[in-house]
Coordinates of all heavy atoms in Angstrom, one line a residue:
Chain A
K240 N -18.1 76.2 230.4 CA -18.8 76.4 231.7 C -19.0 75.0 232.4 O -19.0 74.0 231.7 CB -20.2 76.9 231.4 CG -20.1 78.4 231.0 CD -21.5 79.0 230.8 CE -21.4 80.4 230.3 NZ -22.4 80.8 229.4
V242 N -20.5 71.7 234.3 CA -21.7 70.9 234.2 C -21.8 70.0 235.4 O -20.8 69.5 235.8 CB -21.7 70.0 232.9 CG1 -22.9 69.1 232.8 CG2 -21.5 70.9 231.7
F247 N -24.8 66.1 241.7 CA -24.2 66.0 243.1 C -24.9 67.0 244.0 O -25.2 68.1 243.7 CB -22.7 66.4 243.0 CG -22.0 66.0 244.3 CD1 -21.2 64.9 244.4 CD2 -22.0 66.9 245.4 CE1 -20.5 64.6 245.5 CE2 -21.3 66.6 246.6 CZ -20.6 65.4 246.6
D249 N -24.7 67.9 248.4 CA -24.4 67.7 249.8 C -25.4 68.5 250.6 O -26.6 68.2 250.4 CB -22.9 68.0 250.1 CG -22.5 69.4 249.6 OD1 -22.7 70.4 250.3 OD2 -22.0 69.4 248.5
S298 N -13.8 69.7 235.7 CA -13.6 69.6 234.2 C -13.2 70.9 233.6 O -12.4 70.9 232.6 CB -14.9 69.1 233.6 OG -15.3 67.8 234.1
E302 N -9.8 71.4 231.5 CA -9.9 71.6 230.0 C -9.2 73.0 229.7 O -8.4 73.1 228.7 CB -11.3 71.6 229.6 CG -11.5 71.9 228.1 CD -10.9 70.8 227.2 OE1 -10.7 69.7 227.6 OE2 -10.6 71.2 226.0
V305 N -5.5 72.4 229.8 CA -5.0 71.7 228.6 C -5.0 72.6 227.4 O -4.1 72.6 226.6 CB -5.8 70.4 228.4 CG1 -5.5 69.8 227.1 CG2 -5.6 69.4 229.5
D309 N -2.0 73.6 225.0 CA -2.1 73.5 223.5 C -1.6 74.8 222.9 O -0.9 74.8 221.9 CB -3.5 73.2 223.1 CG -3.9 71.8 223.4 OD1 -3.0 71.0 223.7 OD2 -5.1 71.5 223.3
A327 N -8.7 68.6 244.1 CA -9.7 68.2 243.1 C -11.1 68.6 243.7 O -11.3 68.6 244.9 CB -9.6 66.7 242.9
M329 N -14.6 68.0 244.8 CA -15.3 66.8 245.3 C -16.7 66.6 244.6 O -17.1 65.5 244.3 CB -15.5 66.9 246.8 CG -14.3 66.5 247.6 SD -14.6 66.7 249.3 CE -14.5 68.5 249.4
A332 N -16.4 64.6 241.7 CA -15.9 63.2 242.1 C -14.8 62.7 241.2 O -13.8 63.3 240.9 CB -17.1 62.3 242.2
I333 N -15.0 61.5 240.6 CA -14.0 60.8 239.9 C -13.6 61.6 238.6 O -12.4 61.5 238.2 CB -14.5 59.4 239.5 CG1 -13.4 58.5 238.9 CG2 -15.6 59.5 238.5 CD1 -12.6 57.8 239.9
L336 N -10.9 63.8 239.7 CA -9.7 63.1 239.9 C -9.0 62.9 238.6 O -7.7 63.0 238.5 CB -10.0 61.7 240.6 CG -8.8 60.8 240.9 CD1 -8.0 61.4 242.1 CD2 -9.2 59.4 241.2
M337 N -9.7 62.6 237.6 CA -9.1 62.3 236.3 C -8.5 63.5 235.6 O -7.7 63.4 234.7 CB -10.2 61.6 235.3 CG -10.6 60.3 235.7 SD -9.1 59.2 235.8 CE -9.8 57.8 236.8
Q338 N -8.9 64.7 236.1 CA -8.2 65.9 235.6 C -6.8 66.0 236.0 O -6.0 66.6 235.3 CB -9.0 67.2 236.1 CG -10.4 67.3 235.8 CD -10.7 67.1 234.3 OE1 -10.1 67.7 233.4 NE2 -11.6 66.1 234.0
A340 N -4.8 63.4 235.8 CA -4.1 62.6 234.8 C -4.2 63.4 233.5 O -3.2 63.5 232.8 CB -4.9 61.3 234.6
K341 N -5.3 64.1 233.2 CA -5.4 64.8 232.0 C -4.4 66.0 231.9 O -3.7 66.1 230.9 CB -6.9 65.4 231.9 CG -7.2 66.2 230.7 CD -8.7 66.5 230.7 CE -9.0 67.6 229.6 NZ -10.5 67.7 229.4
A344 N -0.8 64.6 231.6 CA -0.5 64.1 230.3 C -0.2 65.2 229.3 O 0.7 65.1 228.5 CB -1.7 63.2 229.8
Q348 N 3.4 66.3 226.9 CA 3.5 66.8 225.5 C 4.3 68.0 225.4 O 5.2 68.2 224.6 CB 2.1 67.1 224.9 CG 1.1 66.0 225.1 CD 1.1 65.1 223.9 OE1 2.1 64.6 223.5 NE2 -0.1 64.8 223.3
R351 N 8.0 67.4 226.0 CA 8.7 66.8 224.8 C 9.0 67.8 223.7 O 9.9 67.6 223.0 CB 7.8 65.7 224.2 CG 8.3 64.3 224.6 CD 7.7 63.2 223.7 NE 6.3 63.3 223.5 CZ 5.4 62.9 224.5 NH1 5.9 62.3 225.5 NH2 4.1 63.1 224.3
S369 N -1.8 70.1 243.8 CA -0.4 70.0 244.1 C 0.2 68.7 243.6 O 1.4 68.6 243.3 CB -0.2 70.2 245.6 OG 0.4 69.2 246.3
A370 N -0.6 67.6 243.6 CA -0.1 66.3 243.1 C -0.3 66.1 241.6 O -0.3 65.0 241.1 CB -0.8 65.2 243.9
T374 N 3.1 70.8 240.6 CA 4.5 70.4 241.0 C 5.3 69.9 239.8 O 6.4 69.4 239.9 CB 4.6 69.4 242.1 OG1 3.6 68.4 241.8 CG2 4.2 70.0 243.5
G388 N 1.0 71.4 250.0 CA 1.2 70.0 250.5 C 0.2 69.1 249.8 O -0.7 69.5 249.0
F389 N 0.3 67.8 250.1 CA -0.7 66.8 249.5 C -1.9 66.7 250.5 O -3.0 67.1 250.2 CB 0.0 65.5 249.3 CG -1.0 64.5 248.7 CD1 -1.6 64.7 247.5 CD2 -1.4 63.4 249.4 CE1 -2.5 63.8 246.9 CE2 -2.3 62.4 248.9 CZ -2.9 62.7 247.7
A390 N -1.6 66.2 251.7 CA -2.7 66.0 252.7 C -2.8 67.3 253.5 O -1.8 67.9 253.8 CB -2.4 64.8 253.5
V399 N -1.3 60.9 262.4 CA -0.1 60.5 263.1 C -0.2 60.9 264.6 O 0.7 60.4 265.4 CB 1.1 61.2 262.5 CG1 1.3 60.8 261.0 CG2 1.1 62.7 262.6
Q408 N 4.7 72.4 256.0 CA 4.0 72.6 254.8 C 4.0 74.0 254.3 O 3.2 74.4 253.5 CB 2.6 72.0 254.8 CG 2.5 70.5 254.9 CD 1.1 70.0 254.8 OE1 0.2 70.5 255.4 NE2 0.9 68.9 254.1
F412 N 9.6 75.6 254.4 CA 9.8 74.1 254.8 C 10.0 73.3 253.6 O 10.9 72.4 253.5 CB 8.5 73.7 255.5 CG 8.5 72.3 256.0 CD1 8.9 72.0 257.3 CD2 8.0 71.3 255.3 CE1 8.8 70.7 257.8 CE2 7.9 70.0 255.7 CZ 8.3 69.7 257.0
H416 N 13.4 71.2 252.4 CA 13.4 69.7 252.1 C 13.6 69.4 250.6 O 13.4 68.3 250.2 CB 12.0 69.1 252.6 CG 12.0 69.0 254.1 ND1 11.6 70.0 254.9 CD2 12.5 68.0 254.9 CE1 11.7 69.6 256.2 NE2 12.2 68.4 256.2
N418 N 11.9 70.4 247.9 CA 10.8 70.2 247.1 C 10.5 71.3 246.1 O 9.7 71.1 245.1 CB 9.5 70.0 248.0 CG 9.6 68.6 248.7 OD1 9.8 67.6 248.0 ND2 9.3 68.6 250.0
Chain B
A414 N -3.0 57.8 249.4 CA -1.5 58.1 249.7 C -1.5 58.4 251.2 O -2.4 59.0 251.8 CB -1.0 59.2 248.9
Y415 N -0.4 58.0 251.9 CA -0.2 58.2 253.3 C -0.1 59.7 253.7 O 0.7 60.4 253.2 CB 1.0 57.4 253.8 CG 1.1 57.5 255.3 CD1 0.1 57.0 256.1 CD2 2.2 58.0 255.9 CE1 0.2 57.1 257.5 CE2 2.4 58.1 257.3 CZ 1.3 57.6 258.1 OH 1.5 57.7 259.4
P416 N -1.0 60.1 254.6 CA -0.9 61.5 255.1 C 0.0 61.6 256.3 O -0.5 61.6 257.4 CB -2.4 61.9 255.4 CG -3.1 60.5 255.7 CD -2.2 59.4 255.1
E421 N 5.1 64.0 253.5 CA 5.1 65.4 253.0 C 6.5 65.9 252.8 O 6.8 66.5 251.8 CB 4.3 66.3 253.9 CG 2.8 65.9 254.0 CD 2.0 66.3 252.8 OE1 2.3 67.3 252.2 OE2 1.0 65.5 252.5
E422 N 7.4 65.6 253.8 CA 8.7 66.2 253.7 C 9.4 65.6 252.5 O 10.2 66.3 251.8 CB 9.5 65.8 254.9 CG 9.2 66.5 256.2 CD 9.9 66.0 257.4 OE1 10.4 64.9 257.4 OE2 9.9 66.8 258.4
G424 N 8.0 64.8 249.7 CA 7.4 65.2 248.5 C 6.4 64.2 248.0 O 6.4 63.7 246.8
S426 N 3.3 64.9 247.0 CA 2.7 65.5 245.8 C 3.5 65.3 244.6 O 3.1 64.9 243.5 CB 2.5 67.0 246.0 OG 1.5 67.3 246.9
A430 N 2.6 63.3 241.2 CA 2.5 64.0 239.9 C 3.5 63.4 238.9 O 3.1 63.3 237.7 CB 2.8 65.5 240.2
L433 N 2.1 60.3 237.3 CA 1.0 60.6 236.4 C 1.6 61.0 235.0 O 1.1 60.5 234.0 CB 0.1 61.8 236.9 CG -0.6 61.6 238.2 CD1 -1.5 62.8 238.6 CD2 -1.4 60.3 238.3
S437 N 1.7 58.6 231.5 CA 1.0 59.1 230.3 C 1.8 58.9 229.1 O 1.3 58.9 227.9 CB 0.5 60.6 230.5 OG 1.6 61.4 230.3
E438 N 3.2 58.8 229.2 CA 4.0 58.6 228.1 C 4.9 57.4 228.1 O 5.9 57.3 227.3 CB 4.8 59.9 227.8 CG 5.6 60.5 229.0 CD 6.2 61.8 228.7 OE1 5.7 62.5 227.8 OE2 7.2 62.2 229.4
S453 N -8.4 57.9 245.5 CA -7.9 59.2 245.2 C -6.6 59.2 244.5 O -6.3 58.3 243.7 CB -7.8 60.0 246.5 OG -7.4 61.3 246.3
G454 N -5.8 60.3 244.6 CA -4.5 60.4 243.9 C -3.5 59.2 244.3 O -2.7 58.9 243.4
L457 N -4.6 56.7 241.7 CA -4.3 57.2 240.3 C -2.8 57.1 240.0 O -2.4 56.9 238.9 CB -4.8 58.6 240.1 CG -4.8 59.2 238.7 CD1 -5.8 58.3 237.8 CD2 -5.3 60.6 238.7
Y473 N -14.0 53.6 243.3 CA -12.9 54.5 242.8 C -13.5 55.9 243.1 O -14.6 56.2 242.7 CB -12.7 54.3 241.3 CG -11.3 54.7 240.8 CD1 -10.9 54.3 239.6 CD2 -10.5 55.5 241.6 CE1 -9.6 54.7 239.1 CE2 -9.2 55.9 241.1 CZ -8.8 55.5 239.9 OH -7.5 55.8 239.4
V475 N -12.6 60.3 244.4 CA -11.6 61.4 244.5 C -11.2 61.6 245.9 O -10.1 62.2 246.2 CB -12.3 62.7 243.9 CG1 -13.5 63.1 244.8 CG2 -11.4 63.9 243.8
I484 N -15.6 67.1 255.2 CA -15.5 68.4 254.6 C -16.8 69.0 254.2 O -17.1 70.1 254.6 CB -14.5 68.3 253.3 CG1 -13.1 67.9 253.8 CG2 -14.4 69.7 252.7 CD1 -12.2 67.6 252.7
L485 N -17.6 68.3 253.4 CA -18.8 68.9 252.9 C -20.0 68.8 253.9 O -20.9 69.7 253.8 CB -19.2 68.2 251.6 CG -18.3 68.5 250.4 CD1 -18.9 67.8 249.1 CD2 -18.2 70.0 250.1
W486 N -20.1 67.8 254.7 CA -21.2 67.7 255.6 C -20.7 68.1 257.1 O -21.5 68.1 258.0 CB -21.7 66.3 255.7 CG -22.7 65.9 254.6 CD1 -24.1 66.0 254.7 CD2 -22.4 65.4 253.3 NE1 -24.6 65.6 253.5 CE2 -23.6 65.2 252.6 CE3 -21.3 65.2 252.6 CZ2 -23.7 64.8 251.3 CZ3 -21.3 64.7 251.3 CH2 -22.6 64.5 250.7
A498 N -23.4 60.2 247.0 CA -23.3 61.4 246.2 C -22.2 61.4 245.2 O -22.3 61.8 244.1 CB -23.2 62.6 247.1
M499 N -21.0 60.8 245.7 CA -19.9 60.8 244.8 C -19.9 59.8 243.7 O -19.1 59.8 242.8 CB -18.6 60.6 245.6 CG -18.2 61.8 246.5 SD -16.5 61.7 247.0 CE -16.6 60.3 248.2
L506 N -20.2 54.6 237.9 CA -19.1 55.0 237.1 C -19.2 54.6 235.7 O -18.6 55.1 234.8 CB -17.8 54.5 237.7 CG -17.4 55.1 239.1 CD1 -16.2 54.3 239.7 CD2 -17.0 56.5 239.0
Q558 N -3.2 59.3 225.0 CA -3.3 60.7 225.1 C -4.8 61.1 224.9 O -5.4 61.9 225.6 CB -2.4 61.4 224.2 CG -1.0 61.5 224.6 CD -0.7 62.5 225.7 OE1 -1.5 63.4 225.9 NE2 0.4 62.4 226.4
F561 N -7.2 60.3 227.8 CA -7.1 61.2 228.9 C -7.6 62.6 228.6 O -8.3 63.3 229.4 CB -5.7 61.3 229.6 CG -5.5 60.0 230.4 CD1 -5.0 58.9 229.8 CD2 -6.0 60.0 231.7 CE1 -4.8 57.7 230.6 CE2 -5.9 58.8 232.4 CZ -5.3 57.7 231.9
R562 N -7.4 63.0 227.3 CA -7.8 64.3 226.8 C -9.4 64.4 226.9 O -9.9 65.4 227.1 CB -7.3 64.4 225.4 CG -7.7 65.6 224.7 CD -6.9 66.8 225.2 NE -7.6 68.0 225.0 CZ -7.1 69.1 224.5 NH1 -5.8 69.1 224.1 NH2 -7.8 70.1 224.4
Y564 N -11.4 63.1 229.0 CA -12.1 63.1 230.4 C -12.6 64.5 230.7 O -11.8 65.5 230.8 CB -11.1 62.7 231.4 CG -10.7 61.2 231.4 CD1 -9.6 60.7 232.1 CD2 -11.5 60.3 230.6 CE1 -9.3 59.4 232.1 CE2 -11.1 59.0 230.6 CZ -10.0 58.5 231.3 OH -9.7 57.2 231.3
G565 N -13.9 64.6 231.1 CA -14.4 65.8 231.6 C -15.7 66.2 230.9 O -16.0 65.7 229.8
F566 N -16.5 66.9 231.6 CA -17.8 67.4 231.1 C -17.9 68.9 231.2 O -17.8 69.4 232.3 CB -19.0 66.7 231.9 CG -19.1 65.3 231.7 CD1 -18.4 64.4 232.6 CD2 -19.8 64.7 230.7 CE1 -18.4 63.0 232.5 CE2 -19.9 63.3 230.6 CZ -19.2 62.5 231.5
T567 N -18.0 69.6 230.1 CA -18.2 71.0 230.2 C -19.3 71.4 229.2 O -19.7 70.6 228.4 CB -16.9 71.7 229.7 OG1 -16.6 71.4 228.4 CG2 -15.7 71.4 230.6
Q568 N -19.7 72.6 229.3 CA -20.7 73.1 228.3 C -20.2 74.4 227.6 O -19.3 75.0 228.1 CB -22.1 73.3 228.8 CG -22.1 74.4 229.9 CD -23.5 74.6 230.4 OE1 -24.4 73.8 230.3 NE2 -23.7 75.8 230.9

Side-chain angles (χ1 to χ4, degrees):
Chain A
K240 288 181 183 147
V242 175
F247 192 99
D249 47 89
S298 298
E302 182 62 26
V305 170
D309 288 348
M329 281 176 286
I333 191 86
L336 183 72
M337 291 303 161
Q338 302 308 308
K341 177 172 170 168
Q348 307 270 50
R351 258 199 308 283
S369 122
T374 48
F389 179 66
V399 300
Q408 291 183 322
F412 181 92
H416 285 91
N418 288 313
Chain B
Y415 183 59
E421 294 287 325
E422 287 175 342
S426 284
L433 302 182
S437 78
E438 51 188 24
S453 185
L457 191 62
Y473 205 165
V475 66
I484 297 171
L485 291 182
W486 279 265
M499 287 195 294
L506 294 168
Q558 281 285 342
F561 283 93
R562 179 75 208 228
Y564 288 166
F566 295 89
T567 60
Q568 61 176 24

